[in-house]
Amino acid sequence: MRKVILDMDPGIDDALALLLALKSPEVQVLSVGTVAGNAPVEMTSANARRVLEYMGVTNIPVTMGAAKPLNHPLVDAQNHHGSDGLGQCGLPPPRLPVQSMSTWDFMAQLISAKPGEITLVATGPLTNLALAFERYPQLPGLLARLVLMGGAYGLTSYGKGNRTAYAEFNIWQDPEAANIVLNSGADIYALGLDISMDPRTHLNSSHLEQLRVGPTPAARLAAQLVEFDIRRRGYCELHDPLTLASLLDDSLFDFVSVKVEVIVGNGWDRGVTRVLPPEQAGEQPLIHVASAVDGSRFLELFLSRMFKEQNA
Ligand code: RIB
Ligand code: CA
């Protein structure tokens, strides 16, 4: 069982990834950090607590992190995630408190107390991680692994941008933070749009019907979360559950080890993640980037965990 800290911006697909983590015995969630991204950080931290409360989980601390990127104003994605950030799924406001300690200080405390034991899973902009790594430079080397949803690496035909034609939302939101994190020396596994925009990994209306009549509270909440997207677009992308799934069954994915450049600033190429050809590669550390996924087996895994009676 992997000890895991989540850092996320719930968001529909972040909430689905949290449900998947709670239903998976392979991971033990030690804490949920939240960051501004899909929605303001007050909303993303409330949403993490709304999902935990719905699932009857009261022993996982939720922390609030950065309210904006390091160098840019927040540009949220509430048009994609609904006015409550969770597809207007109808969950009540949270009663659970948010921790008083910031996400970056809380994660530093946990990671330093369990050197080499903790896997950090980031499915939002990387602002909290950059703030943690800047304050506590020893952290990247103390992680068992850093798994992140972010980037578009051109490794498949789907590896194009979704916030701009060239850049993926999490990296685009805070490219300076991404640059710090990707060059931190942590053992990084990055899952980008190259695999999460593959339609074979998307939920469709028949999946929604299966979830809607599912035997578990997780299935029924997943249906409410997914419905907003399916009504809008006819399908639901599962960027963040895919990222978590890499810890549940790594046979679902292929990874390549490459050096990646992140374009910072606010130009047309803001947030571009470019795989560097060997002759151009400098001192950047190698990172592992997902280059293929078995979409149908991933969906089978996701749905089976939603239908599983007991929590992890
Ligand atoms: O580009 C997709 C990513 O941006 C996902 O993590 C989604 O939740 C948003 O944060
Ligand atoms: Ca996210």
Side-chain angles (χ1 to χ4, degrees):
M1 178 184 285
R2 279 183 184 269
K3 294 181 178 67
V4 165
I5 292 174
L6 303 177
D7 190 79
M8 44 182 30
D9 61 336
I12 290 172
D13 61 325
D14 301 78
L16 293 168
L18 179 52
L19 284 176
L20 180 60
L22 296 175
K23 302 294 284 189
S24 296
E26 300 87 343
V27 297
Q28 177 193 359
V29 179
L30 300 183
S31 70
V32 181
T34 56
V35 66
N38 286 322
V41 69
E42 294 78 9
M43 186 175 284
T44 61
S45 68
N47 286 344
R49 287 175 284 149
R50 291 167 75 193
V51 172
L52 289 171
E53 275 176 43
Y54 171 84
M55 291 296 289
V57 175
T58 56
N59 63 344
I60 295 178
V62 175
T63 59
M64 191 184 288
K68 63 174 285 298
L70 298 180
N71 293 0
H72 303 280
L74 175 66
V75 178
D76 69 39
Q78 287 196 249
N79 53 328
H80 287 283
H81 293 269
S83 57
D84 69 342
L86 287 186
Q88 275 116 251
C89 65
L91 286 181
R95 293 187 310 280
L96 281 171
V98 67
Q99 296 294 311
S100 55
M101 195 181 285
S102 71
T103 294
W104 49 86
D105 287 336
F106 198 85
M107 74 165 66
Q109 184 175 282
L110 281 181
I111 295 164
S112 304
K114 297 176 184 297
E117 291 186 42
I118 292 178
T119 296
L120 186 47
V121 180
T123 61
L126 296 169
T127 318
N128 289 340
L129 277 67
L131 291 167
F133 292 178
E134 294 271 273
R135 282 163 172 75
Y136 307 95
Q138 76 282 11
L139 282 189
L142 296 179
L143 287 169
R145 180 178 292 195
L146 167 52
V147 181
L148 65 91
M149 193 284 135
Y153 302 90
L155 296 176
T156 74
S157 59
Y158 305 108
K160 307 181 186 77
N162 63 352
R163 177 62 189 75
T164 69
Y166 316 101
E168 179 277 325
F169 176 85
N170 287 335
I171 307 297
W172 180 90
Q173 185 75 249
D174 198 339
E176 285 76 16
N179 192 40
I180 289 166
V181 171
L182 266 61
N183 288 289
S184 66
D187 185 19
I188 293 175
Y189 286 75
L191 293 91
L193 300 180
D194 311 74
I195 59 157
S196 67
M197 293 298 270
D198 180 337
R200 289 166 296 188
T201 67
H202 297 166
L203 292 175
N204 59 34
S205 49
S206 69
H207 297 130
L208 172 57
E209 285 321 304
Q210 291 174 51
L211 287 166
R212 205 198 297 276
V213 298
T216 61
R220 292 190 289 275
L221 175 56
Q224 288 169 290
L225 290 164
V226 165
E227 184 181 18
F228 181 85
D229 231 355
I230 299 250
R231 255 206 328 263
R232 230 165 40 88
R233 297 191 295 176
Y235 61 91
C236 180
E237 297 158 2
L238 296 180
H239 310 281
D240 299 340
L242 270 164
T243 303
L244 198 280
S246 68
L247 297 179
L248 308 182
D249 180 355
D250 59 11
S251 74
L252 293 172
F253 304 93
D254 291 337
F255 286 90
V256 291
S257 297
V258 292
K259 296 195 176 192
V260 172
E261 176 189 26
V262 182
I263 307 298
V264 297
N266 200 25
W268 66 269
D269 52 359
R270 167 180 168 177
V272 164
T273 45
R274 190 165 77 90
V275 173
L276 292 170
E279 64 276 11
Q280 288 180 26
E283 295 310 306
Q284 298 91 341
L286 285 169
I287 67 169
H288 313 286
V289 179
S291 57
V293 61
D294 184 332
S296 57
R297 277 206 307 124
F298 158 69
L299 285 178
E300 274 169 35
L301 172 65
F302 176 78
L303 292 167
S304 67
R305 294 294 164 92
M306 292 301 107
F307 297 147
K308 195 165 70 75
E309 291 298 341
Q310 75 286 7
N311 283 3

